[in-house]
Amino acid sequence: LAKGTSLIVELAPKVLDGTRCYTETLHMCISGNCQVVGCDHQLGSSAKEDNCGICDGNGSTCRLVRGQYKSQLSSNKLDDTIIAIPYGSRHVRIVLKGPDHLYLETKTLLGQKGENNLSTPGPFSSVNTSFDFQKLPDKEILRASGPLGADFTVMIQHMGIGESVVQFFFYQPIIHQWRETDFFPCSVTCSGGYQLTSA
């Protein structure tokens, strides 16, 4: 019986096969029982994503970045940069303790810039990234599972009341880049030679 109405609805005795048991896992209901599904999408598999987002990985494609920032009271500074978190980072957690306020600046791979002043607590999306923002009386907490869809710069807005401490934690992808060396001397002193470089 639906509350406030005379409508009666009969529910099925079990959900359809393939329905997820929980939103945060791949486990699915089959014949009324919750079955384990790994990140490899195989029934009964225990494969899990590592902190880098690699299924059954060993954590070697990313590195943990963590640290702390202490705000310095200054009459001529209204805000300050805490840390730049690059595209693709995961498991982001930023905690501000004190009277100041966090906000975000973004820069996409196409160079488009944006800003989010984190005025409203709760879940929100920015540049294809889901965040959760909590604002408590003495602290602010910002979380994102990732991967981040852009470069995010965490900023602090000074309120001028006292000092704050910001702790940050995230897994940053390890990106291999080419590094060129100087050219080697030319193979001949005049006409028709070649020069090599290594990368």
Side-chain angles (χ1 to χ4, degrees), residues 9-196:
V9 178
E10 184 177 338
L11 300 175
K14 58 185 175 183
V15 297
L16 294 174
D17 284 353
T19 303
R20 286 218 177 140
C21 302
Y22 312 100
T23 56
E24 64 275 358
T25 71
L26 295 174
H27 303 349
M28 65 176 64
C29 287
I30 298 175
S31 298
N33 295 313
C34 188
Q35 302 291 320
V36 174
V37 177
C39 62
D40 54 1
H41 298 277
Q42 299 297 312
L43 194 61
S45 168
S46 61
K48 293 184 177 160
E49 281 190 358
D50 65 7
N51 288 322
C52 310
I54 306 298
C55 183
D56 219 13
N58 62 7
S60 63
T61 61
C62 65
R63 68 183 184 99
L64 172 63
V65 177
R66 66 177 166 193
Q68 184 170 290
Y69 167 91
K70 187 173 182 183
S71 69
Q72 305 292 321
L73 284 177
S74 173
S75 58
N76 59 352
K77 282 182 99 173
L78 299 176
D79 57 14
D80 207 359
T81 300
I82 305 300
I83 190 163
I85 306 174
Y87 170 86
S89 294
R90 294 174 173 269
H91 307 290
V92 177
R93 180 177 162 88
I94 312 290
V95 179
L96 177 142
K97 295 177 185 174
D100 295 331
H101 177 64
L102 293 173
Y103 70 95
L104 293 174
E105 290 183 348
T106 60
K107 184 177 179 186
T108 67
L109 295 175
L110 298 174
Q112 297 170 325
K113 295 182 178 181
E115 189 173 293
N116 188 319
N117 63 8
L118 303 176
S119 57
T120 307
F124 69 94
S125 182
S126 176
V127 197
N128 296 322
T129 306
S130 296
F131 287 91
D132 184 57
F133 177 62
Q134 292 178 298
K135 188 167 180 62
L136 305 166
D138 60 342
K139 69 176 159 181
E140 296 180 352
I141 302 169
L142 179 66
R143 292 186 184 96
S145 295
L148 299 186
D151 293 333
F152 285 84
T153 303
V154 180
M155 307 286 289
I156 189 170
Q157 181 181 15
H158 298 294
M159 303 312 252
I161 302 167
E163 293 182 344
S164 294
V165 172
V166 179
Q167 296 170 325
F168 51 88
F169 173 101
F170 60 92
Y171 286 91
Q172 174 182 343
I174 296 172
I175 299 171
H176 301 287
Q177 297 180 344
W178 291 99
R179 189 184 75 201
E180 291 185 28
T181 62
D182 291 334
F183 279 94
F184 294 101
C186 191
S187 62
V188 295
T189 56
C190 183
S191 176
Y194 58 87
Q195 261 186 314
L196 298 176

Side-chain angles (χ1 to χ4, degrees), residues 1-10:
L1 182 63
K3 190 175 183 179
T5 70
S6 59
L7 182 64
I8 298 174
V9 178
E10 184 177 338

